[in-house]
Amino acid sequence: MAFDPTAQPPQRLRVVASTPISEELIDRVVRAEPRIDFVRDQSLLAPQRFAGDHAGDPSFRRTPEQQQAFEDLVDSGLLWVHTMPAGGGSQVKAAQLTDDELNRISFTTSAGVHAEPLAEYAVFGLLAGAKTLPRLLKQQRDIHWTDRWEMGLLSQQRILLVGLGGIGRVVAAKLAALGGTVLGTSRSGTPVPGVHEIVHPDDLADAARDVDGIVVSLPGTAATEGLVDAKVLRAAKPGFTFVSIGRGTVIDEPALIDALRDGHVGFAALDVFASEPLAVDSPLWTDPKVLISPHTAALNSAEDRLIAGLFAENATRYLDGRPLRNRVDTVEFY
């Protein structure tokens, strides 16, 4: 649903905190947009354990009276919801709202806030693969000094970025600075700094042919589910490096496991998985060519501050009757 520029915007905006947020950040939001009336009751919100802990302490429980008070605060003419994750579209889809609710309520996400830490993780994974990290770790554990061997150079590699959104664009800039040759997928075909060649997602398997590394940063939608399949993985150069930092559902996980098992994937740095937590019997846990991080690569001390700044900017846009940033597409939910 597009914003109606002819509609009369409200003069003030009542904001209710439904996720853990510090008083310091609330003050920051209100200073940035003084027309906000920020309603919160910290006794109704789970304490944060660390930066980016938007669910809060799992041991926190509201009494029945507190739960009713919380619902009374939140359910009061709801018109706009800002989700803390970048992939908030999946949360909106999971809520199974009616068409009327989807048309009445605007949904925005924190997309872009996590671009820097995730881009660094991507470079870290690509470097780990190029520098043969699994072999180095094994030889060190075995206290085994061998003959020397050649390591890869990112400056001589072709890297395919599956997704050129906020994260992919930052990855592209970092890889270009290191001298790598960057390919990227985009439906629009709009040029992106640092990307040497842009390809349509329909041509993904062709684009993957003979690349040294693949970085996947796409959101999880019906259109992207299983997009990176066996055909794509097998098109890449034998022994290539694979990095997954978007949503795990984009990857055909059994196909990835098979490609790791026979060595076609030389190294994989995986922050997200099709089902989380990753099942204890998944062979990914014990594969020495796999580095697993529990969906934590995006977290950093600046996250909450950046989300607060994004929300404050969107609040100004809302009050001024301008389009919101990071609107959720309520058809494909991304």
Side-chain angles (χ1 to χ4, degrees):
M1 182 181 67
F3 260 55
D4 181 358
T6 66
Q8 185 66 30
Q11 294 186 350
R12 297 195 66 81
L13 185 63
R14 182 177 185 269
V15 173
V16 177
S18 60
T19 190
I21 182 172
S22 69
E23 289 296 319
E24 177 186 356
L25 287 179
I26 291 173
D27 289 343
R28 181 185 292 269
V29 170
V30 175
R31 284 198 306 271
E33 178 43 79
R35 292 173 291 177
I36 286 178
D37 298 317
F38 211 120
V39 181
R40 73 279 194 183
D41 184 340
Q42 296 291 358
S43 69
L44 304 179
L45 304 176
Q48 279 191 310
R49 296 159 295 170
F50 46 80
D53 183 20
H54 306 306
D57 188 339
S59 67
F60 175 78
R61 295 289 184 276
R62 299 188 187 98
T63 66
E65 294 77 16
Q66 287 178 318
Q67 185 61 33
Q68 185 60 56
F70 177 76
E71 292 176 7
D72 289 343
L73 282 178
V74 174
D75 187 18
S76 52
L78 188 62
L79 294 175
W80 169 30
V81 173
H82 180 81
T83 68
M84 306 303 273
S90 60
Q91 292 181 318
V92 178
K93 182 179 181 180
Q96 297 183 320
L97 301 175
T98 65
D99 289 342
D100 177 67
E101 289 167 330
L102 291 173
N103 288 328
R104 175 172 57 85
I105 303 171
S106 300
F107 299 92
T108 58
T109 75
S110 297
V113 164
H114 311 95
E116 278 291 332
L118 286 176
E120 287 196 6
Y121 182 90
V123 174
F124 160 67
L126 292 168
L127 282 169
K131 304 306 177 186
T132 64
L133 180 63
R135 181 174 179 177
L136 290 170
L137 291 175
K138 183 180 187 306
Q139 293 194 183
Q140 184 172 343
R141 283 193 302 267
D142 295 344
I143 316 178
H144 186 202
W145 185 282
T146 66
D147 289 336
R148 301 164 69 190
W149 69 91
E150 181 182 353
M151 294 184 179
L153 289 170
L154 287 188
S155 60
Q156 296 179 0
Q157 292 190 350
R158 287 166 50 85
I159 308 297
L160 172 62
L161 306 184
V162 184
L164 284 175
I167 299 168
R169 288 169 179 264
V170 179
V171 177
K174 293 184 184 301
L175 291 177
L178 290 170
T181 300
V182 182
L183 298 77
T185 64
S186 169
R187 293 191 179 277
S188 69
T190 304
V192 174
V195 178
H196 296 77
E197 181 182 347
I198 294 181
V199 296
H200 194 277
D202 291 347
D203 301 321
L204 183 57
D206 288 337
R209 187 167 290 115
D210 292 329
V211 298
D212 301 278
I214 297 177
V215 177
V216 183
S217 62
L218 288 175
T221 69
T224 64
E225 185 170 353
L227 181 66
V228 180
D229 56 13
K231 186 176 181 181
V232 174
L233 295 170
R234 295 293 172 177
K237 186 180 296 185
F240 80 99
T241 301
F242 185 78
V243 180
S244 181
I245 52 175
R247 285 296 180 267
T249 55
V250 181
I251 317 302
D252 181 340
E253 211 161 89
L256 174 62
I257 290 170
D258 286 344
L260 282 160
R261 186 174 288 128
D262 64 21
H264 191 79
V265 175
F267 179 76
L270 309 175
D271 186 56
V272 291
F273 302 87
S275 180
E276 298 179 359
L278 180 63
V280 295
D281 60 351
S282 171
L284 293 172
W285 282 112
T286 54
D287 192 320
K289 299 186 298 297
V290 176
L291 177 68
I292 290 174
S293 54
H295 205 145
T296 194
L299 295 188
N300 68 97
S301 60
E303 178 175 341
D304 292 335
R305 174 178 54 80
L306 293 173
I307 292 176
L310 172 61
F311 177 80
E313 178 189 341
N314 260 347
T316 298
R317 288 172 171 266
Y318 190 96
L319 287 163
D320 292 345
R322 294 186 286 130
L324 299 178
R325 288 180 55 190
N326 296 347
R327 285 287 298 271
V328 172
D329 180 323
T330 54
V331 175
E332 296 196 24
F333 294 98
Y334 69 91

